[in-house]
């Protein structure tokens, strides 16, 4: 079966990958790497200043990137799988 051209919200999928964002966030989430990748710069700066919420915020955020299908980039486009 072919991959749909549009996300469930009717918009096209992002060029960014949720797997890449999740792995970046888990491995180097203390500097907000997954958020920098997806273009959420305000959230990335907050993670940078708090060392990823002492690692807890970064780990949870990374897991959510990997398991949720509705995570978006800074333009509101759903991340591709």
């Amino acid at each position: 079966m072919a991959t749909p051209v549009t996300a469930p919200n009717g918009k096209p999928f992002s060029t960014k990958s949720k797997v890449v964002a999740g792995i970046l966030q888990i491995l180097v989430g203390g500097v907000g790497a997954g958020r920098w990748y997806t273009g959420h710069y305000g959230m990335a700066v907050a993670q940078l200043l708090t060392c990823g919420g002492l690692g807890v915020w970064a780990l949870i955020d990374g897991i959510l990137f990997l398991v949720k299908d509705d995570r978006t980039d800074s333009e509101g486009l759903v991340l591709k799988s």
Side-chain angles (χ1 to χ4, degrees):
M1 187 170 191
T3 304
V5 178
T6 59
N9 64 2
K11 295 181 179 179
F13 280 102
S14 172
T15 58
K16 309 286 183 172
S17 167
K18 72 178 197 164
V19 174
V20 172
I23 297 295
L24 282 171
Q25 195 61 20
I26 289 171
L27 295 179
V28 282
V31 295
R35 293 300 185 155
W36 290 110
Y37 173 72
T38 59
H40 296 108
Y41 302 122
M43 189 82 68
V45 169
Q47 288 185 346
L48 178 64
L49 294 175
T50 64
C51 296
L54 299 177
V56 176
W57 179 12
L59 179 63
I60 292 170
D61 205 22
I63 292 169
L64 289 176
F65 269 121
L66 293 172
V67 299
K68 295 193 70 166
D69 291 329
D70 62 350
R71 300 296 286 232
T72 61
D73 65 9
S74 61
E75 297 175 7
L77 302 175
V78 176
L79 299 174
K80 65 182 176 183
S81 296

